[in-house]
Amino acid sequence: MSPKTPDQFQEIREKSREHLLVVSMRLFALNGYQATSISQIAKEAGVAKGALYHYFDSKETLLEEVIKLGLTNIQELFNDEELKSGDAKEQLRKLMQKTFKSMETDKEFWSLYASLITQMRGSEKLKEIFRPLVISTFDMLTNLLESNGVPDARMRALSIGGMIDGVALHYMYVMEEYPFEEVTNYIIDKMLFP
Amino acid sequence: MSPKTPDQFQEIREKSREHLLVVSMRLFALNGYQATSISQIAKEAGVAKGALYHYFDSKETLLEEVIKLGLTNIQELFNDEELKSGDAKEQLRKLMQKTFKSMETDKEFWSLYASLITQMRGSEKLKEIFRPLVISTFDMLTNLLESNGVPDARMRALSIGGMIDGVALHYMYVMEEYPFEEVTNYIIDKMLFP
Amino acid sequence: MSPKTPDQFQEIREKSREHLLVVSMRLFALNGYQATSISQIAKEAGVAKGALYHYFDSKETLLEEVIKLGLTNIQELFNDEELKSGDAKEQLRKLMQKTFKSMETDKEFWSLYASLITQMRGSEKLKEIFRPLVISTFDMLTNLLESNGVPDARMRALSIGGMIDGVALHYMYVMEEYPFEEVTNYIIDKMLFP
Amino acid sequence: MSPKTPDQFQEIREKSREHLLVVSMRLFALNGYQATSISQIAKEAGVAKGALYHYFDSKETLLEEVIKLGLTNIQELFNDEELKSGDAKEQLRKLMQKTFKSMETDKEFWSLYASLITQMRGSEKLKEIFRPLVISTFDMLTNLLESNGVPDARMRALSIGGMIDGVALHYMYVMEEYPFEEVTNYIIDKMLFP
DNA sequence: TATGAATGAGTCTTCATTCAT
DNA sequence: AATGAATGAAGACTCATTCAT
């Protein structure tokens, strides 16, 4: 009831916005973007439908913001200095472990990400968002290997990149349990650096 | 003046049906099942909306038939005796080559397959169709390796399976050109059988 | 295979036509006019959809012909000389008995008749068909009573007419078993001619 | 600038809902439930199609609510203590008078009721609603007669019940004018209690 | 800023009707 | 006369979006 300062308003706005994003991501991931309705999001978030349009111009914008938030979270995760220590082998192992761990903890985001990627061919916007992401990951991988003197860096990067995303796909959609730890170690120790 | 013979009708039906299936597969693959409307398919196929319902009971049935057609095509491809000759290494190389070749020729189906897999969570029917498929592929791979005395068959199968699907994903959605041949040889010769 | 004479053609045509009418009446009565589709009738009758349009201009025409056929059947039933013998009391008893018997044997037609009557308000065509029918029945009843010296003939006709149709309604839609015999006798002996 | 209060929304809802119910009842009664389209109702009510779905889950639900409203109105009418005073003869007379009066004032509902009853065969839901209603009316009639020492209570109830519904049918669908008063008195004074 | 009633284009689906053969 | 493939208007229903308050 007390009059609110602009800052407080700002803060409330931020909170609501983020809450809507979190709810949206969950629903998008769970049921798919198309199958999730604005009403459903509003109800789940405990606000009126109209409120959503104060924060986001359209359902599509909302999706973009959800993706942006997800990517930010993920990037933070990988901005860990710890990841950059050790030799190529160790860095790679940590990278894969971190990736797979994130698949378990952020399964929602990753499965949204996967389902969106498979619809990229029909949408320029999605292409703009995801293609650079995947490509820069390849570059990062290639660099990591190259700068550690690993031969055939590009080929290996392609293989590893494929393997990581394929394993992710299998984990998310086919197998409930996946021996991440063993597969990681197997790939690193037996296939990449035998 | 004379009525059409049953054979004539049969022929007309077959042609229309197949045409509709081909168009549907393309659109489903491009935009996703949900985002593709019956009207769109009809327009693209150059028929009236109603015509679709002469051939398929519902949009869902249509999808199932599209999948069936795709799977049949793929299975024919892999029913080649040639694939089963040679040692594990050779068999695996041929298998991967064939798979990647099929990705180029049946890109439409494979990208539909991918987009459906990522939407499986919401549909029991899709699960019933695809899960066994992936699992039996893993088993086949494991057997192939095991029966050729390759150690760690299961682990390798998981890694290779993941790699194949991941590479497919990258090819279909990220890179227009993919060095399939090199990657295949690299994986076989340097990673699996160094 | 033998060439057919015009008469034979005519006969075949008649047969097909009548068959279609019978099938249509059954389905209309069973599921309602609106809920019965032309395809359904064609399938049930064992002919192609197109054939129906050789015999009837439209679904509405078909309905009219069905009604016409039903009315003809009913009228034949009541054209029995036997019905016109005896005094008013006996004639009335026979009339009611015959009517109720027909409700049991031609239940299909009667329930179609009832369901159509209740949609008369919205359809001029139905009004044209049914209103004269009901009114002439009233007249017939009134005459029967009047010419036998029964007092208050019009009032009684209205009451009896209502009673008959009401009882029919209850029999057809509410009670599976109806004590037609007793009710008939009761009405005649206790209420009309006490 | 200030948002609408819950009370304001409540009021808007109530008004719209009732308006839609009234319009729906009229159209359902006039053309039958099946033959009345949602678009038609919306147009007649002066709202967009979608609006109907704010208030009713489906066309079927709408019908149920229409029936509920009609039954409530009717029941209120018959919950009059005045109806239960006097001897059987008087009670019956008042009952019939009230019924016929209601046929004139609530013609819309009664003709919907009639048209629905004749379509009951296809719908379990309608059966559940109407059968008990008719049967309980018979029981009420029987009781009324029995408790007043009228002989042959059941038979009379069946006859009177039939007569009332038949007369209603004739009034609604055949004759624009019906001598209710005279018929009522005639039935009571000459046929039932001569 | 927040509400939720209202809109209307769009969804899947049905079906009376037409028509080439 | 007969066939059944094809049409397309119409049906019930959904939902992103707008807007008065």
Side-chain angles (χ1 to χ4, degrees):
Chain A
M1 282 304 143
S2 58
K4 299 203 177 60
T5 67
D7 272 10
Q8 281 176 308
F9 273 123
Q10 182 66 18
E11 201 191 312
I12 290 174
R13 201 181 150 79
E14 273 319 300
K15 271 243 170 70
S16 298
R17 211 186 112 91
E18 187 153 349
H19 180 51
L20 287 172
L21 283 173
V22 169
V23 169
S24 300
M25 182 179 307
R26 179 153 48 79
L27 293 178
F28 285 161
L30 211 58
N31 312 315
Y33 169 68
Q34 304 265 1
T36 305
S37 74
I38 290 287
S39 311
Q40 202 182 338
I41 296 173
K43 186 185 287 177
E44 196 84 358
V47 300
K49 248 183 305 183
L52 266 153
Y53 286 87
H54 288 295
Y55 295 102
F56 310 99
D57 284 347
S58 66
K59 195 186 174 188
E60 208 185 330
T61 309
L62 173 57
L63 174 62
E64 283 164 32
E65 299 290 317
V66 164
I67 296 173
K68 219 175 278 175
L69 172 64
L71 292 182
T72 308
N73 290 346
I74 297 298
Q75 266 154 16
E76 251 167 47
L77 200 71
F78 288 94
N79 260 348
D80 189 347
E81 276 310 308
E82 161 71 10
L83 275 178
K84 289 167 193 156
S85 65
D87 59 9
K89 193 172 166 182
E90 268 329 288
Q91 280 189 44
L92 208 49
R93 192 191 312 271
K94 281 188 260 175
L95 188 67
M96 284 180 69
Q97 280 170 346
K98 194 131 203 168
T99 304
F100 291 142
K101 188 147 291 166
S102 145
M103 300 244 156
E104 294 180 305
T105 53
D106 296 305
K107 193 169 182 178
E108 257 162 33
F109 171 73
W110 283 109
S111 77
L112 173 61
Y113 168 84
S115 80
L116 290 175
I117 282 223
T118 65
Q119 281 169 41
M120 255 173 58
R121 280 179 60 204
S123 154
E124 282 312 311
K125 206 147 227 162
L126 288 179
K127 269 188 215 161
E128 273 168 39
I129 295 177
F130 286 121
R131 197 191 297 266
L133 191 71
V134 181
I135 289 181
S136 80
T137 305
F138 273 124
D139 290 346
M140 185 263 280
L141 261 181
T142 311
N143 279 340
L144 166 63
L145 296 170
E146 231 162 25
S147 69
N148 278 279
V150 177
D152 311 304
R154 186 77 192 151
M155 277 300 131
R156 285 185 190 231
L158 284 177
S159 313
I160 300 168
M163 197 141 37
I164 291 176
D165 282 358
V167 161
L169 209 63
H170 292 158
Y171 163 59
M172 280 188 295
Y173 298 109
V174 185
M175 292 142 168
E176 321 268 82
E177 307 269 310
Y178 204 94
F180 281 131
E181 192 70 26
E182 288 106 309
V183 169
T184 302
N185 290 334
Y186 189 85
I187 291 172
I188 302 275
D189 297 326
K190 297 283 170 69
M191 294 173 79
L192 291 169
F193 303 92
Chain B
M1 281 299 142
S2 61
K4 283 209 188 77
T5 65
D7 276 7
Q8 281 175 301
F9 278 126
Q10 178 78 8
E11 203 191 314
I12 291 173
R13 269 193 89 77
E14 220 110 293
K15 267 220 180 90
S16 298
R17 207 185 116 93
E18 187 151 349
H19 179 51
L20 290 174
L21 283 174
V22 169
V23 171
S24 301
M25 186 181 302
R26 180 153 47 79
L27 293 177
F28 284 160
L30 200 58
N31 308 315
Y33 169 70
Q34 303 247 25
T36 305
S37 75
I38 290 287
S39 313
Q40 202 181 338
I41 296 174
K43 188 181 287 177
E44 194 83 359
V47 299
K49 256 181 304 181
L52 272 150
Y53 288 89
H54 282 290
Y55 296 98
F56 312 99
D57 285 346
S58 66
K59 196 187 173 189
E60 204 185 331
T61 308
L62 172 58
L63 174 62
E64 282 165 32
E65 298 292 316
V66 164
I67 295 173
K68 212 179 282 177
L69 173 64
L71 290 182
T72 308
N73 291 346
I74 298 300
Q75 264 154 17
E76 252 166 45
L77 202 72
F78 286 91
N79 258 348
D80 190 347
E81 274 309 308
E82 163 70 10
L83 276 178
K84 289 165 193 156
S85 65
D87 59 9
K89 192 173 167 181
E90 268 329 288
Q91 281 190 46
L92 207 50
R93 192 191 311 272
K94 280 188 263 178
L95 190 68
M96 284 180 69
Q97 281 170 345
K98 195 130 204 168
T99 303
F100 290 141
K101 187 146 292 166
S102 144
M103 301 242 157
E104 295 180 305
T105 55
D106 294 301
K107 191 169 181 178
E108 223 90 85
F109 172 73
W110 284 110
S111 80
L112 172 61
Y113 167 85
S115 86
L116 289 176
I117 283 219
T118 64
Q119 282 161 38
M120 258 172 42
R121 282 222 239 156
S123 155
E124 282 311 309
K125 209 151 222 163
L126 288 180
K127 271 188 213 161
E128 270 169 42
I129 295 176
F130 286 122
R131 200 191 294 264
L133 196 70
V134 181
I135 288 180
S136 80
T137 304
F138 274 123
D139 290 345
M140 187 263 280
L141 264 181
T142 310
N143 279 340
L144 167 63
L145 296 171
E146 229 162 28
S147 68
N148 278 277
V150 177
D152 312 304
R154 188 75 191 154
M155 277 299 132
R156 284 183 191 233
L158 284 177
S159 313
I160 300 169
M163 195 143 38
I164 291 176
D165 282 357
V167 162
L169 214 62
H170 292 156
Y171 163 59
M172 281 188 295
Y173 297 110
V174 185
M175 292 142 169
E176 319 270 80
E177 307 269 310
Y178 204 94
F180 281 132
E181 193 69 24
E182 288 105 308
V183 169
T184 303
N185 289 334
Y186 189 85
I187 291 171
I188 302 276
D189 297 325
K190 296 284 172 68
M191 295 173 78
L192 291 170
F193 304 93
Chain C
M1 283 303 142
S2 59
K4 298 205 178 59
T5 66
D7 271 12
Q8 283 177 305
F9 272 124
Q10 182 66 19
E11 202 190 311
I12 290 173
R13 202 182 150 78
E14 274 317 301
K15 273 244 171 68
S16 299
R17 210 186 113 91
E18 187 153 347
H19 180 51
L20 287 173
L21 283 173
V22 169
V23 170
S24 302
M25 182 180 307
R26 179 153 50 79
L27 293 177
F28 285 160
L30 212 57
N31 311 317
Y33 169 70
Q34 304 264 4
T36 304
S37 75
I38 291 287
S39 311
Q40 202 183 340
I41 296 173
K43 186 185 286 177
E44 195 85 357
V47 300
K49 248 183 306 185
L52 266 153
Y53 286 86
H54 288 295
Y55 295 101
F56 310 99
D57 285 348
S58 67
K59 195 187 175 189
E60 208 185 330
T61 309
L62 173 58
L63 174 63
E64 284 165 30
E65 300 289 319
V66 163
I67 295 173
K68 220 176 276 176
L69 173 63
L71 291 182
T72 308
N73 290 346
I74 298 299
Q75 266 154 15
E76 250 167 46
L77 200 72
F78 288 92
N79 260 348
D80 190 346
E81 275 310 309
E82 163 71 10
L83 275 179
K84 290 166 192 156
S85 65
D87 58 8
K89 193 173 166 180
E90 269 329 289
Q91 281 188 44
L92 208 50
R93 193 190 312 272
K94 280 188 263 178
L95 189 68
M96 284 179 68
Q97 281 170 347
K98 194 129 202 170
T99 304
F100 291 142
K101 188 148 292 164
S102 146
M103 301 242 156
E104 294 180 306
T105 54
D106 295 305
K107 193 168 180 177
E108 257 163 32
F109 171 73
W110 284 108
S111 76
L112 173 60
Y113 167 85
S115 79
L116 290 175
I117 283 223
T118 63
Q119 282 169 40
M120 255 172 57
R121 281 177 61 204
S123 154
E124 283 312 310
K125 207 148 225 162
L126 287 179
K127 269 187 212 162
E128 272 169 41
I129 296 176
F130 285 121
R131 198 192 296 264
L133 190 73
V134 181
I135 289 182
S136 81
T137 305
F138 274 125
D139 291 346
M140 187 263 279
L141 261 181
T142 311
N143 279 341
L144 166 63
L145 296 170
E146 231 162 25
S147 68
N148 278 277
V150 177
D152 312 305
R154 187 74 192 153
M155 278 298 131
R156 283 182 193 234
L158 285 176
S159 312
I160 301 168
M163 198 143 34
I164 291 176
D165 282 358
V167 161
L169 209 63
H170 292 157
Y171 163 59
M172 281 188 297
Y173 298 108
V174 185
M175 292 143 168
E176 320 269 79
E177 307 268 311
Y178 204 94
F180 281 130
E181 193 70 23
E182 287 108 306
V183 169
T184 303
N185 290 334
Y186 190 85
I187 291 171
I188 303 276
D189 297 326
K190 297 284 171 70
M191 294 173 79
L192 291 169
F193 303 93
Chain D
M1 280 302 144
S2 63
K4 281 208 190 77
T5 66
D7 275 6
Q8 281 175 302
F9 279 126
Q10 178 79 6
E11 202 191 313
I12 291 174
R13 268 193 89 77
E14 220 111 292
K15 266 220 180 92
S16 298
R17 207 186 116 92
E18 186 151 349
H19 178 51
L20 289 173
L21 282 174
V22 169
V23 171
S24 300
M25 185 181 302
R26 179 153 48 79
L27 292 177
F28 285 160
L30 201 58
N31 308 315
Y33 169 70
Q34 303 248 23
T36 304
S37 75
I38 290 287
S39 313
Q40 203 180 338
I41 297 173
K43 188 182 288 177
E44 194 82 359
V47 299
K49 256 181 306 182
L52 272 151
Y53 289 90
H54 283 289
Y55 296 99
F56 312 100
D57 285 346
S58 66
K59 197 186 172 189
E60 205 184 330
T61 308
L62 172 57
L63 175 62
E64 282 165 32
E65 298 292 316
V66 164
I67 295 173
K68 212 178 281 178
L69 173 63
L71 290 182
T72 308
N73 290 346
I74 298 300
Q75 266 154 15
E76 252 167 45
L77 202 71
F78 286 92
N79 259 349
D80 189 347
E81 275 308 309
E82 163 70 12
L83 275 178
K84 289 167 193 155
S85 65
D87 58 8
K89 192 172 166 180
E90 270 328 289
Q91 280 189 43
L92 208 50
R93 192 192 312 273
K94 279 188 262 178
L95 191 67
M96 284 179 68
Q97 281 170 347
K98 196 129 203 170
T99 304
F100 291 141
K101 187 146 292 166
S102 143
M103 302 241 156
E104 295 179 305
T105 53
D106 294 302
K107 192 169 180 176
E108 223 89 85
F109 172 74
W110 283 108
S111 78
L112 172 60
Y113 168 84
S115 85
L116 289 176
I117 284 221
T118 66
Q119 283 162 37
M120 258 172 40
R121 282 221 239 155
S123 154
E124 281 312 310
K125 210 152 220 163
L126 287 180
K127 272 189 212 158
E128 269 169 43
I129 295 177
F130 287 122
R131 201 192 292 265
L133 196 70
V134 181
I135 288 180
S136 80
T137 305
F138 273 124
D139 290 344
M140 185 263 281
L141 263 181
T142 310
N143 279 341
L144 166 63
L145 296 170
E146 229 162 28
S147 69
N148 279 276
V150 178
D152 312 305
R154 187 75 192 152
M155 277 299 132
R156 284 183 192 232
L158 284 176
S159 314
I160 300 169
M163 197 141 37
I164 291 177
D165 282 358
V167 160
L169 214 61
H170 292 155
Y171 163 61
M172 281 187 296
Y173 298 110
V174 185
M175 293 140 169
E176 319 270 80
E177 307 270 309
Y178 205 95
F180 282 131
E181 193 68 25
E182 289 104 309
V183 169
T184 303
N185 290 333
Y186 189 84
I187 290 171
I188 302 276
D189 297 326
K190 297 285 171 72
M191 294 174 79
L192 291 170
F193 303 91

